[in-house]
Amino acid sequence: MSLRFYREGDSLLHRLNPVVKLIAFSTLMIAPALFLNPVVPAIFLVLALLLGWGLGGLMPTKVLRALAPFLLLAAGLALFNTLFYGGPRAHLLAHLGPFKIWREALAVGTSIGLRLLCFASYSALFVWTTMPSQLAASLIQQVRLPYQLAYAILAAYRFLPILQAELENIRAAHRVRGAYAERGLLAQWEHWRRYGVPLLANGIRQAERLAIAMDARGFGALPTRTHYVQSRLTTHDFLFLASSLLTVVAILLTLASLGLLQGLLAGPAESLVGGSP
Amino acid sequence: MSTSPIQRALQSWTTRDLIVTAVIAVALGLLYMAYSGLYLALTPILGQVGIMLALGFYYLVGVLTPYIIRKPGTALLASFLAALTELLVGSPFGIMAVWAGLVQGLGAELAFGIRRWQDYRLPVLMLAAVLSGVFAFIYEYFLFSYSALALPVQIGLLLVRLPSALVLAGWLGKMLGDALARTGALRGLAISQTTRQP
């Protein structure tokens, strides 16, 4: 079921308002994307581990294990960005076949590879500590998303186990007629076409019945409604958001004062790097 | 609470439109999670540019759903919901995917908006798919600092995804929508009302 990634808990991260958490984590995640320096994502990655450990009760080893599937992609991304680096370069490190490895390229490549791990770790922390129903409640009550939308999401989540059971039915129906999945790309495509259409069609039929049931109970008749699950903003939320933003600023200021950000800003300022030796 | 612009836009939606949108989005979101695993596994084989050929599938939800529902906002909503599903069922791309879903949905929505949400023929579906791809490229451009790459590689990253968007989102969206309409499950929804007239 969809909740299997959520880990029960009562830590500070669990109790945070989901939307506040999403904004704070997005900020922490995106901050390293503004810099091409490998030190920045490395620091934010360590911060994610500490955050999960200190405020979420999640062992760093657990977060690191969740990052394992990403290691290959991160390494590939780092290599790709190193080989096809197009920015200013000054220090030649090595020759790799037809490619020249520049120190600047290696730094940028490493930075982008680490960046991916950074994104993945904050995502994992978010999913582990957020209950979908709490997120929906918060989207309605704090973001003022119309409740019709958020209820549609929640209703659709109820379909996950139904869709799974449906898939089993379709598979059984194919088996009983002697149709088995074959190997090969075309056979796979045929296989998915045979399963996908009835699966979606059945889901849509179920949706129709659900919609009638909801309409019969007057769903959507009024612009507002009362809520069983209450979602509030507490001082903890404001403190967490404020300290996340302050942490980002503090880290960047410290790095800047150490001279580690110089000439490695991404984006429009990047052209400035060309001037430095 | 005063009525927000979103709420006013929702007034033309029936409960059924909403739930069907959500179900398609969640079903595809689930599929995307499985697909993301495949994507991670295939990237080292196909390379960072080559894997863009698989990217079009992520734009499918923003084409198929509006093709069926045909209301303003469907592409944006479906794309965002599919991405939210991906996040909540533990997709490797998580929070990154949520914002990507929003951005891709905006791209598709723009295509339908240009035709005032009246035209759902194949060329418009293809335009929606391509704009999804272009918007996603802009998002990735910042997230992964494509600006640091050599210019031909940057162009490659944009262009390679476009045929994939045309086939795996534009064409597949139409095929799937029509196939679903043939099952009769979409009776009463906008897609069936228009296809019934010759």
Side-chain angles (χ1 to χ4, degrees):
Chain A
M1 176 59 202
S2 65
L3 301 183
R4 86 192 127 111
F5 285 92
Y6 169 70
R7 316 282 159 105
E8 287 289 337
D10 192 36
S11 72
L12 184 80
L13 284 187
H14 281 86
R15 277 179 282 127
L16 275 181
N17 183 293
V19 170
V20 169
K21 191 162 42 179
L22 187 62
I23 295 171
F25 281 14
S26 294
T27 314
L28 291 169
M29 233 179 70
I30 286 166
L34 300 173
F35 303 92
L36 291 172
N37 191 317
V39 179
V40 183
I43 289 176
F44 279 90
L45 188 58
V46 172
L47 184 67
L49 297 180
L50 293 177
L51 195 67
W53 196 14
L55 300 180
L58 300 158
M59 289 306 285
T61 47
K62 210 167 112 177
V63 183
L64 287 173
R65 260 206 305 279
L67 292 182
F70 287 94
L71 288 177
L72 204 57
L73 185 70
L77 203 58
L79 183 68
F80 174 74
N81 277 281
T82 307
L83 296 185
F84 296 106
Y85 174 73
R89 60 205 76 183
H91 306 85
L92 188 63
L93 285 184
H95 284 273
L96 195 75
F99 295 103
K100 290 190 176 101
I101 307 293
W102 301 87
R103 203 176 79 188
E104 292 77 8
L106 195 62
V108 168
T110 312
S111 158
I112 292 170
L114 283 173
R115 205 183 276 181
L116 183 80
L117 296 181
C118 206
F119 297 154
S121 53
Y122 285 103
S123 286
L125 290 186
F126 183 84
V127 174
W128 284 342
T129 60
T130 308
M131 240 168 96
S133 58
Q134 288 283 352
L135 177 63
S138 175
L139 283 171
I140 305 169
Q141 294 170 45
Q142 273 83 48
V143 188
R144 297 294 170 98
L145 195 74
Y147 72 89
Q148 290 93 331
L149 289 186
Y151 271 71
I153 312 172
L154 284 179
Y157 277 112
R158 305 259 173 232
F159 276 93
L160 290 179
I162 300 176
L163 287 175
Q164 254 162 10
E166 203 63 55
L167 193 64
E168 281 309 309
N169 275 340
I170 297 168
R171 193 170 290 156
H174 278 274
R175 290 253 171 84
V176 97
R177 288 166 180 81
Y180 286 92
E182 286 168 47
R183 293 196 158 269
L185 212 61
L186 264 176
Q188 278 293 314
W189 161 255
E190 185 58 23
H191 172 76
W192 275 105
R193 201 184 58 79
R194 274 197 209 137
Y195 278 43
V197 174
L199 187 67
L200 270 176
N202 280 336
I204 290 167
R205 287 204 182 91
Q206 305 256 18
E208 183 174 12
R209 268 169 268 173
L210 178 69
I212 293 170
M214 287 167 84
D215 276 338
R217 286 160 180 78
F219 177 79
L222 299 170
T224 55
R225 58 168 297 130
T226 52
H227 302 286
Y228 175 62
V229 178
Q230 292 291 336
S231 174
R232 289 192 189 80
L233 288 174
T234 63
T235 27
H236 276 122
D237 294 312
F238 290 109
L239 283 176
F240 184 77
L241 190 59
S243 47
S244 300
L245 297 180
L246 281 176
T247 309
V248 171
V249 174
I251 289 175
L252 297 184
L253 283 179
T254 313
L255 289 175
S257 71
L258 293 172
L260 282 171
L261 291 184
Q262 222 167 22
L264 279 168
L265 258 175
E270 196 216 7
S271 52
L272 298 174
V273 193
S276 66
Chain B
M1 188 166 54
S2 61
T3 52
S4 62
I6 310 176
Q7 204 135 36
R8 265 192 309 259
L10 269 181
Q11 274 168 1
S12 68
W13 288 60
T14 63
T15 307
R16 188 175 169 214
D17 287 338
L18 260 177
I19 306 291
V20 169
T21 300
V23 166
I24 297 173
V26 168
L28 285 178
L30 266 181
L31 216 54
Y32 285 161
M33 192 199 61
Y35 193 73
S36 293
L38 193 72
Y39 191 93
L40 278 176
L42 283 180
T43 308
I45 300 165
L46 293 175
Q48 296 295 331
V49 178
I51 195 69
M52 301 271 153
L53 279 173
L55 218 50
F57 190 58
Y58 287 106
Y59 316 143
L60 176 65
V61 69
V63 174
L64 172 67
T65 326
Y67 181 55
I68 292 171
I69 305 289
R70 307 193 177 190
K71 299 262 162 73
T74 322
L76 182 61
L77 178 63
S79 187
F80 181 59
L81 288 189
L84 209 60
T85 308
E86 250 199 284
L87 170 72
L88 290 178
V89 295
S91 155
F93 294 107
I95 300 182
M96 258 185 296
V98 170
W99 304 124
L102 207 60
V103 170
Q104 287 162 17
L106 268 178
E109 199 63 53
L110 181 66
F112 295 115
I114 290 172
R115 304 294 293 162
R116 304 214 148 259
W117 293 281
Q118 301 290 328
D119 189 349
Y120 291 88
R121 286 171 299 175
L122 188 60
V124 183
L125 301 184
M126 295 225 165
L127 179 67
V130 165
L131 285 183
S132 276
V134 172
F135 273 51
F137 173 78
I138 298 169
Y139 171 72
E140 291 162 30
Y141 191 90
F142 288 107
L143 210 58
F144 290 106
S145 297
Y146 287 168
S147 58
L149 291 165
L151 193 62
V153 181
Q154 291 184 33
I155 296 169
L157 285 168
L158 174 62
L159 292 185
V160 171
R161 74 183 64 203
L162 297 185
S164 150
L166 289 175
V167 175
L168 290 178
W171 178 80
L172 186 61
K174 178 154 175 63
M175 285 302 117
L176 255 180
D178 291 343
L180 285 172
R182 278 197 298 276
T183 67
L186 305 180
R187 216 167 286 145
L189 292 168
I191 180 176
S192 303
Q193 281 156 8
T194 44
T195 48
R196 223 181 292 139
Q197 303 153 355

